[in-house]
Amino acid sequence: MTIPFNRLQMLGNEARYIEQALANSHLMGDGGFTRKCHALLEESLGVKRALLTTSCTHAMEMAGLLLDLQPGDEVIVPSFTFVSTANAFALRGARPVFADVRPDTLNLDENKLESLITERTRLIVPVHYAGVGCEMDAILDIAQRRGVAVVEDNAHGLFGSYRGRPLGTFGVFSSLSFHETKNVSCGEGGALLINDERHTERAEIIREKGTNRSRFFRGMVDKYTWVDIGSSYVMSDLLAAFLYGQLCERERIQTRRREIWDTYHRELAGWASAQGVVQPHVPAHCDHASHLYYLLMPSLDVRTRFIQQLRQQGINAVFHYLPLHLSDMGRKYGGKAGDCPVTEDVSDRLVRLPFFSTMTEAEQATVVSAVRDFRC
Ligand SMILES: *Cc1c(COP(=O)(O)O)cnc(C)c1O
């Protein structure tokens, strides 16, 4: 039996909705399925406005444009994250400033924030790693006191919550990813969530190549024209049809993922404590989004052996982010070894187990027993 790290999931009416989109002969953006996705996201999360985009990366680029980031502005991002969290803002000429993460949740360490803020700091970008909420009370408090905006990179956290409030509703904006590896997907896609209505109209313009096309279609202006800078961030309605099929199954997806997460956590607890392996920590006030299941192995060498041993049994376990501050680009921004010691340490030791909604009980049992056979 081969068990991939991730497998495409078709759970509901994805194919039927795609046929409907074809029958509607509306494949460009902002058709019926896009509107259904917008409404579903706005209602289920309680955000002012949701706009589907071509990716999470593009949603964050939109946030950078909406905040008028300028060359020399500083943006604080965790070092332990995907490239796009920094790159989307570097594209505006902003300088990423890398913050270390907490050793327990691997989320942006709010205790390190204050010392990284300068008079050039414009933005803090928390990432809810594995779908576990960052310490938003503390982060928002610091941001407010220092006059800095917050944009959540919520690629992992859709349908998770922090102190009962959905992730993605804390920042002025947040981004979602519907990449194939995420809980809800359409292959490639994302969304910008807007929590401050003052930004809605300009967001629609930036997303539509700098035109007021959205207002034109709503009959609010009699012609559409170039009114601002912008780019092409609208998702095809064909992809929105697939996505809508997935979003309608969100409860089933989340319930199944939580079962898989809980099973790993329970079944590996004894083995982990005997072997000195650390399991994920979820604070009591966080309801996590069950995005991924990771283990922290005792060392890089042990992790390498672990991944090899599982691979010999056809099981695909994978590591995750390399520290951004030590990447070629990160070093150009001044990053150097020792800047973010927790990130540097966990990046070497973290491994993710196969995790997808359509994983069978037999598949998971195979992974569990292969993991338990491993000796550190
Ligand atoms: C997946 C991911 C992204 C990028 O998502 P795209 O939709 O592929 O642009 C950004 N940030 C994080 C934390 C991610 O996991």
Side-chain angles (χ1 to χ4, degrees):
M1 175 152 47
T2 304
I3 303 175
F5 172 67
N6 180 54
R7 183 191 290 143
L8 174 71
Q9 32 166 2
M10 295 263 282
L11 293 155
N13 289 319
E14 292 94 334
R16 198 163 70 84
Y17 291 155
I18 283 192
E19 277 178 26
Q20 262 180 42
L22 292 169
N24 293 346
S25 55
H26 184 117
L27 302 187
M28 59 183 175
D30 286 332
F33 284 105
T34 300
R35 284 197 295 274
K36 284 184 201 297
C37 290
H38 288 171
L40 189 150
L41 288 170
E42 285 159 11
E43 278 158 33
S44 62
L45 301 173
V47 293
K48 294 285 191 321
R49 191 83 172 98
L51 293 172
L52 294 189
T53 56
T54 29
S55 67
C56 175
T57 306
H58 280 167
M60 287 191 287
E61 283 180 31
M62 285 183 65
L65 287 162
L66 284 159
L67 293 170
D68 287 318
L69 286 187
Q70 299 298 319
D73 286 348
E74 292 177 358
V75 177
I76 300 177
V77 300
S79 176
F80 191 65
T81 183
F82 188 61
V83 174
S84 296
T85 317
N87 203 18
F89 306 105
L91 206 54
R92 305 257 59 77
R95 174 193 179 79
V97 172
F98 302 103
D100 208 356
V101 293
R102 294 173 56 112
D104 55 356
T105 57
L106 315 187
N107 276 335
L108 181 72
D109 189 340
E110 68 281 3
N111 300 305
K112 307 266 168 68
L113 272 180
E114 205 83 68
S115 65
L116 294 174
I117 293 177
T118 71
E119 69 277 12
R120 310 216 66 164
T121 309
R122 294 281 319 279
L123 178 62
I124 300 168
V125 191
V127 177
H128 306 298
Y129 184 72
V132 177
C134 293
E135 281 309 322
M136 292 314 296
D137 283 349
I139 292 170
L140 290 176
D141 178 60
I142 293 166
Q144 227 150 41
R145 264 193 293 114
R146 307 295 296 262
V148 173
V150 172
V151 170
E152 300 166 78
D153 177 349
N154 197 27
H156 298 186
L158 177 60
F159 303 126
S161 65
Y162 170 83
R163 297 195 194 281
R165 183 168 152 193
L167 299 179
T169 62
F170 294 89
V172 53
F173 306 111
S174 66
S175 60
L176 297 177
S177 176
F178 303 119
H179 185 264
E180 191 168 320
T181 51
K182 303 305 194 307
N183 290 22
V184 173
S185 95
C186 61
E188 301 278 356
L192 180 73
L193 306 181
I194 301 169
N195 291 309
D196 181 341
E197 268 163 324
R198 282 173 297 184
H199 290 287
T200 305
E201 188 180 332
R202 186 159 184 243
E204 290 176 348
I205 288 167
I206 284 173
R207 179 168 165 271
E208 274 280 18
K209 302 109 190 157
T211 72
N212 55 357
R213 195 161 183 249
S214 300
R215 284 168 75 75
F216 172 71
F217 279 130
R218 286 202 297 264
M220 293 163 76
V221 286
D222 57 8
K223 55 183 182 295
Y224 86 82
T225 184
W226 186 22
V227 294
D228 202 337
I229 56 168
S231 192
S232 185
Y233 294 126
V234 178
M235 179 194 281
S236 162
D237 217 49
L238 197 58
L239 282 176
F242 190 98
L243 181 64
Y244 186 63
Q246 295 246 313
L247 281 172
C248 289
E249 298 301 321
R250 63 194 179 284
E251 276 169 26
R252 245 174 85 208
I253 292 172
Q254 290 306 105
T255 303
R256 180 64 191 128
R257 293 184 81 100
R258 178 58 64 89
E259 272 170 18
I260 296 170
W261 198 100
D262 287 345
T263 301
Y264 275 141
H265 208 59
R266 183 182 66 242
E267 296 297 319
L268 297 177
W271 167 84
S273 68
Q275 298 296 315
V277 171
V278 176
Q279 295 183 288
H281 169 71
V282 181
H285 53 276
C286 291
D287 188 19
H288 70 96
S290 309
H291 175 54
L292 56 85
Y293 194 87
Y294 68 81
L295 297 167
L296 288 172
M297 306 306 284
S299 68
L300 174 59
D301 285 346
V302 174
R303 181 181 75 176
T304 305
R305 270 200 299 119
F306 180 74
I307 291 175
Q308 275 166 359
Q309 185 168 318
L310 291 185
R311 192 147 300 167
Q312 278 159 10
Q313 300 168 69
I315 298 167
N316 247 291
V318 295
F319 53 84
H320 214 179
Y321 305 127
L322 302 174
L324 275 189
H325 70 287
L326 299 180
S327 64
D328 288 354
M329 275 301 278
R331 286 179 190 276
K332 286 188 188 156
Y333 288 111
K336 55 187 189 315
D339 284 352
C340 300
V342 178
T343 300
E344 290 167 33
D345 174 45
V346 297
S347 169
D348 276 349
R349 297 192 290 117
L350 186 142
V351 57
R352 293 174 292 159
L353 299 180
F355 199 104
F356 43 92
S357 319
T358 51
M359 188 178 210
T360 64
E361 280 175 27
E363 283 174 327
Q364 191 174 19
T366 303
V367 178
V368 165
S369 96
V371 171
R372 282 176 173 170
D373 283 345
F374 182 81
R375 294 289 165 270
C376 293

mmCIF file of all heavy atoms in Angstrom, residues 18 20 102 104 178 229 235 255:
data_model
loop_
_atom_site.group_PDB
_atom_site.id
_atom_site.type_symbol
_atom_site.label_atom_id
_atom_site.label_comp_id
_atom_site.label_asym_id
_atom_site.label_seq_id
_atom_site.Cartn_x
_atom_site.Cartn_y
_atom_site.Cartn_z
ATOM 1 N N ILE A 18 -19.406 21.914 -11.936
ATOM 2 C CA ILE A 18 -18.578 22.293 -13.093
ATOM 3 C C ILE A 18 -19.406 22.158 -14.369
ATOM 4 O O ILE A 18 -19.367 23.035 -15.241
ATOM 5 C CB ILE A 18 -17.285 21.449 -13.145
ATOM 6 C CG1 ILE A 18 -16.314 21.998 -12.101
ATOM 7 C CG2 ILE A 18 -16.664 21.460 -14.538
ATOM 8 C CD1 ILE A 18 -14.923 21.511 -12.185
ATOM 9 N N GLN A 20 -22.561 22.481 -14.563
ATOM 10 C CA GLN A 20 -23.501 23.619 -14.542
ATOM 11 C C GLN A 20 -22.836 24.898 -15.004
ATOM 12 O O GLN A 20 -23.413 25.674 -15.761
ATOM 13 C CB GLN A 20 -24.034 23.829 -13.120
ATOM 14 C CG GLN A 20 -25.399 23.203 -12.897
ATOM 15 C CD GLN A 20 -25.865 23.451 -11.460
ATOM 16 O OE1 GLN A 20 -25.701 24.545 -10.914
ATOM 17 N NE2 GLN A 20 -26.420 22.435 -10.844
ATOM 18 N N ARG A 102 6.784 30.871 18.589
ATOM 19 C CA ARG A 102 6.685 30.263 19.916
ATOM 20 C C ARG A 102 7.048 28.784 19.818
ATOM 21 O O ARG A 102 6.613 28.112 18.898
ATOM 22 C CB ARG A 102 5.241 30.359 20.434
ATOM 23 C CG ARG A 102 4.740 31.753 20.711
ATOM 24 C CD ARG A 102 3.246 31.694 21.037
ATOM 25 N NE ARG A 102 3.007 30.792 22.159
ATOM 26 C CZ ARG A 102 2.589 31.170 23.363
ATOM 27 N NH1 ARG A 102 2.312 32.438 23.596
ATOM 28 N NH2 ARG A 102 2.423 30.289 24.315
ATOM 29 N N ASP A 104 5.857 26.371 21.488
ATOM 30 C CA ASP A 104 4.736 25.441 21.711
ATOM 31 C C ASP A 104 3.806 25.334 20.501
ATOM 32 O O ASP A 104 3.481 24.242 20.046
ATOM 33 C CB ASP A 104 3.958 25.796 22.997
ATOM 34 C CG ASP A 104 3.458 27.238 23.022
ATOM 35 O OD1 ASP A 104 3.762 28.009 22.080
ATOM 36 O OD2 ASP A 104 2.754 27.607 23.990
ATOM 37 N N PHE A 178 -6.979 28.101 -1.433
ATOM 38 C CA PHE A 178 -7.698 26.913 -1.887
ATOM 39 C C PHE A 178 -6.798 26.063 -2.777
ATOM 40 O O PHE A 178 -7.249 25.373 -3.687
ATOM 41 C CB PHE A 178 -9.003 27.316 -2.599
ATOM 42 C CG PHE A 178 -9.909 28.147 -1.738
ATOM 43 C CD1 PHE A 178 -10.257 29.443 -2.107
ATOM 44 C CD2 PHE A 178 -10.394 27.657 -0.526
ATOM 45 C CE1 PHE A 178 -11.085 30.231 -1.303
ATOM 46 C CE2 PHE A 178 -11.213 28.433 0.282
ATOM 47 C CZ PHE A 178 -11.559 29.725 -0.105
ATOM 48 N N ILE A 229 -4.586 51.791 -9.734
ATOM 49 C CA ILE A 229 -3.734 50.664 -10.099
ATOM 50 C C ILE A 229 -4.451 49.375 -9.708
ATOM 51 O O ILE A 229 -5.393 49.394 -8.915
ATOM 52 C CB ILE A 229 -2.332 50.733 -9.446
ATOM 53 C CG1 ILE A 229 -2.444 50.824 -7.915
ATOM 54 C CG2 ILE A 229 -1.529 51.885 -10.012
ATOM 55 C CD1 ILE A 229 -1.127 50.598 -7.210
ATOM 56 N N MET A 235 -10.921 34.942 -9.901
ATOM 57 C CA MET A 235 -10.931 33.496 -10.162
ATOM 58 C C MET A 235 -11.983 33.160 -11.225
ATOM 59 O O MET A 235 -13.078 33.719 -11.216
ATOM 60 C CB MET A 235 -11.264 32.751 -8.860
ATOM 61 C CG MET A 235 -11.332 31.232 -9.023
ATOM 62 S SD MET A 235 -12.108 30.423 -7.598
ATOM 63 C CE MET A 235 -10.773 30.411 -6.422
ATOM 64 N N THR A 255 -15.096 17.656 10.046
ATOM 65 C CA THR A 255 -15.332 16.584 11.008
ATOM 66 C C THR A 255 -14.378 15.418 10.764
ATOM 67 O O THR A 255 -13.769 14.878 11.685
ATOM 68 C CB THR A 255 -16.793 16.084 10.906
ATOM 69 O OG1 THR A 255 -17.643 17.209 11.125
ATOM 70 C CG2 THR A 255 -17.096 14.999 11.920
#
